[in-house]
Amino acid sequence: MPAPLHPYLVGLCACLAVPALAGDASVPQTRQEHIHHQGHRVMPFVLGRTLHVFRMTETGGSMRVVLRDAGAKDQLPLIQRHLLHMTARFSSGDFSVPASLHGEQMPGLKELEAGASRVKVVYAPLPNGGEIRFETGDLAMITAIHRWFGAQLSEHGADALAE
């Protein structure tokens, strides 16, 4: 029968095992992976079957969520219902849903919350998804919208594109 391990060696083995667990491939390693894997907490549709499209304009911009392919039609009502709901929240200055996923310090977020009354937020259904348009003549709010869009583009990675 082998001799029992010395208590020091037992502790050392336990310490060496922890980094091996930290390298588990199922744990997101980048910010984009984190957003992709946690998106289901705030969005009812599947990020991998949809695409966020951000377009910055001189008066604000638009955020669309569209199907990646025609075979994902089951995602269409989920996209449209979610964007309609988010339009109402954004119009009243409630950006808590994106903040819960991207963080409270997301660029442009505090300015959008404080200045929501100076931004017109409009929802439109699309044949392949939905769109939220943000329109304002206030340069500070346009800048906030663009900063917010830029942060989302960066954090959504392959799930988003700029137009």
Side-chain angles (χ1 to χ4, degrees):
M1 176 186 242
L5 285 176
H6 186 277
Y8 171 79
L9 292 175
V10 171
L12 180 62
C13 290
C15 288
L16 293 174
V18 171
L21 292 175
D24 182 354
S26 68
V27 177
Q29 298 298 311
T30 68
R31 184 71 179 151
Q32 289 81 15
E33 288 171 328
H34 170 77
I35 297 298
H36 181 81
H37 292 290
Q38 294 300 312
H40 70 278
R41 291 185 313 117
V42 298
M43 294 173 273
F45 48 85
V46 179
L47 280 175
R49 299 185 75 200
T50 60
L51 185 66
H52 281 67
V53 182
F54 296 91
R55 182 170 170 252
M56 297 180 206
T57 67
E58 291 181 6
T59 59
S62 66
M63 171 174 40
R64 286 185 281 144
V65 178
V66 296
L67 302 174
R68 285 188 189 263
D69 64 72
K73 287 285 188 201
D74 61 316
Q75 300 298 300
L76 189 58
L78 302 174
I79 292 167
Q80 293 176 341
R81 199 169 29 248
H82 176 71
L83 293 182
L84 182 60
H85 176 72
M86 295 312 300
T87 298
R89 293 181 82 147
F90 294 157
S91 294
S92 68
D94 180 356
F95 288 79
S96 60
V97 172
S100 72
L101 179 61
H102 295 277
E104 297 285 333
Q105 300 307 313
M106 187 177 198
L109 197 63
K110 294 294 180 204
E111 295 86 349
L112 288 168
E113 290 172 335
S117 64
R118 300 190 315 263
V119 179
K120 181 179 177 184
V121 184
V122 179
Y123 167 75
L126 301 171
N128 66 339
E131 175 182 61
I132 302 175
R133 287 188 306 273
F134 298 82
E135 299 173 5
T136 183
D138 185 315
L139 184 57
M141 296 311 298
I142 294 167
T143 301
I145 292 164
H146 291 180
R147 291 180 67 223
W148 186 55
F149 281 6
Q152 290 185 76
L153 277 163
S154 171
E155 293 194 353
H156 279 286
D159 294 324
L161 66 87
E163 189 175 74

